[in-house]
């Protein structure tokens, strides 16, 4: 990772707090005067006489910044940066401009391959911007909520349980653990101490799940229990031996809107992209042209067989 990107990590950690930070207080002038147009975007350096302004310097860091910081005015954003970070940004902008000047001096901008790649990059950017403008305004919270409500209306309620379990590799250990719990041992404490499952750190808590979320042996045992009950015998699955305790039961039609938001957003984006593509294709004239058939390969005649010399007669004796 480059030193510049490392230096910008503080921005990623700060996030919206920096974006909402107020501008540093400055004393009001005694007599108000209109600000010069260049005050908010001053020249910071020159390469071959060409100006490098503040907005260009800040643009070099845009990809490393959170989205909410990209709309902060350059002058305000500069005030948030440590001086050493800003110096790295300025130095990078100078280097970029020097390399661009050298490339133009070498007439690389006239190279056919470079021009082809620039054209392809421009076309890709145009397509991306067009799709973003077509799609993103349609992905609103209201649209996501309506999609969630529509999908939820078509789902039937399904029973869920919230259970804890203790997983061990053999039946003997499972029966020893079960006996300890039946004598009054705390299930969560025993799970943290004895279970080999990653959920042990949470006292064996698996959260809510549906019958189809678990292997059949585990699901059948869990859904046969009422809240507060522990499985009367260890349950064997492909993962080992389980002691199961059910904490809660409920009927649910699926995850909440908040839990579904990201999945819904991705699904809607994919659908809206496809719809936008169809609208755009319908707005242009498309003509498919059949390519000419390739010429049939020439059939070469087999060369005639070489003539065999006549066999001389066998002399008689």
């Amino acid at each position: 990772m480059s030193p510049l990107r490392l230096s910008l990590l503080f921005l990623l950690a700060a996030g919206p707090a920096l974006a909402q930070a107020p501008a540093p207080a400055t004393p009001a002038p005694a007599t108000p005067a209109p600000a010069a147009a260049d005050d908010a975007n001053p020249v910071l350096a020159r390469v071959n006489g060409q100006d490098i302004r503040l907005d260009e310097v800040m643009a070099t860091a845009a990809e490393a910044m959170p989205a909410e910081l990209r709309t902060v005015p350059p002058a305000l954003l500069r005030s948030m940066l440590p001086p050493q970070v800003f110096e790295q940004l300025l130095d990078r902008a100078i280097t970029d401009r020097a390399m661009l000047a050298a490339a133009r001096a070498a007439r690389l901008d006239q190279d056919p391959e470079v021009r082809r790649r620039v054209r392809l990059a421009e076309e890709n950017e145009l397509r991306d911007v067009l799709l973003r403008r077509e799609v993103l305004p349609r992905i609103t919270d209201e649209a996501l909520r309506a999609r969630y409500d529509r999908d939820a209306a078509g789902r039937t309620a399904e029973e869920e349980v919230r259970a804890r379990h203790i997983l061990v590799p053999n039946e003997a250990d499972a029966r020893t653990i079960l006996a300890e719990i039946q004598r009054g041992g705390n299930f969560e404490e025993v799970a943290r101490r004895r279970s080999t499952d990653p959920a042990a750190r949470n006292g064996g808590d698996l959260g809510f799940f549906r019958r189809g979320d678990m292997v059949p042996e585990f699901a059948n045992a869990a859904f046969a229990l009422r809240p507060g009950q522990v499985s009367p015998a260890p349950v064997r699955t492909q993962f080992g031996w389980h002691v199961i305790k059910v904490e809660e039961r409920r009927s649910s039609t699926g995850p909440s809107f908040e839990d579904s938001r990201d999945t819904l957003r991705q699904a809607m984006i994919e659908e809206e992209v496809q719809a936008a593509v169809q609208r755009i294709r319908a707005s242009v004239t498309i003509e498919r042209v059949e390519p000419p058939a390739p010429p049939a390969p020439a059939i070469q005649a087999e060369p005639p067989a070489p003539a065999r010399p006549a066999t001389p007669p066998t002399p008689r004796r």
Side-chain angles (χ1 to χ4, degrees):
M1 184 178 293
S2 68
L4 173 59
R5 192 161 181 83
L6 282 172
S7 300
L8 286 170
L9 286 179
F10 88 97
L11 287 173
L12 299 173
L18 282 180
Q20 298 169 0
T26 55
T31 303
D38 289 347
D39 285 354
N41 192 28
V43 174
L44 302 175
R46 292 185 177 89
V47 174
N48 286 349
Q50 293 187 344
D51 294 345
I52 296 178
R53 292 184 176 271
L54 176 63
D55 58 354
E56 180 180 346
V57 173
M58 303 315 300
T60 63
E63 292 303 319
M65 293 180 181
E68 59 267 20
L69 288 179
R70 296 174 192 170
T71 59
V72 176
L76 176 57
L77 189 56
R78 178 184 180 178
S79 70
M80 300 174 185
L81 291 172
Q84 64 272 23
V85 173
F86 183 77
E87 284 301 316
Q88 291 183 61
L89 293 176
L90 176 56
D91 190 63
R92 177 175 170 180
I94 292 171
T95 298
D96 289 347
R97 183 66 71 84
M99 293 179 67
L100 181 60
R104 292 188 184 281
R107 299 185 62 80
L108 292 182
D109 55 333
Q110 302 301 316
D111 182 274
E113 176 60 17
V114 172
R115 293 174 68 88
R116 183 187 70 84
R117 291 165 60 183
V118 169
R119 185 182 71 254
L120 290 177
E122 179 185 16
E123 291 173 354
N124 287 335
E125 184 65 20
L126 288 171
R127 285 192 293 267
D128 289 347
V129 172
L130 175 63
L131 283 177
R132 285 197 294 270
R133 292 185 177 182
E134 287 281 331
V135 170
L136 294 184
R138 299 172 181 267
I139 312 299
T140 62
D141 281 345
E142 292 77 11
L144 291 172
R145 172 64 75 173
R147 171 68 174 267
Y148 174 82
D149 292 342
R150 187 195 72 191
D151 292 349
R155 290 194 295 261
T156 58
E158 188 172 350
E159 191 174 20
E160 296 180 342
V161 299
R162 176 179 166 230
R164 299 178 185 272
H165 81 136
I166 300 170
L167 175 65
V168 289
N170 58 71
E171 184 179 8
D173 287 347
R175 290 193 177 279
T176 300
I177 289 169
L178 181 59
E180 179 181 352
I181 292 170
Q182 290 172 340
R183 292 193 300 268
N186 181 277
F187 195 100
E188 295 181 41
E189 189 276 327
V190 176
R192 291 190 181 94
R193 178 164 43 88
R194 299 291 303 273
S195 181
T196 62
D197 187 78
R201 65 174 67 92
N202 299 322
D205 192 357
L206 297 172
F208 280 99
F209 56 86
R210 301 182 182 190
R211 187 181 291 270
D213 295 336
M214 300 295 180
V215 294
E217 301 88 347
F218 190 98
N220 291 338
F223 278 84
L225 301 173
R226 307 309 305 171
Q229 287 185 325
V230 177
S231 54
V235 178
R236 186 179 185 181
T237 72
Q238 66 200 67
F239 305 104
W241 292 82
H242 308 257
V243 177
I244 304 171
K245 179 183 179 182
V246 167
E247 298 284 4
E248 300 177 63
R249 299 177 74 104
R250 71 182 184 188
S251 290
S252 172
T253 56
S256 67
F257 173 69
E258 288 71 22
D259 292 338
S260 305
R261 183 192 298 270
D262 290 343
T263 302
L264 287 172
R265 179 180 173 81
Q266 185 59 39
M268 287 191 67
I269 286 175
E270 293 175 4
E271 292 174 5
E272 290 294 342
V273 165
Q274 292 301 320
V277 168
Q278 293 303 316
R279 289 195 303 271
I280 293 167
R281 285 172 61 95
S283 68
V284 299
T285 301
I286 298 174
E287 179 183 0
R288 291 184 177 272
V289 179
E290 291 294 333
I299 300 176
Q300 296 182 350
E302 294 185 4
R308 295 181 179 179
T311 305
T314 303
R316 293 181 181 182
R317 293 184 181 183

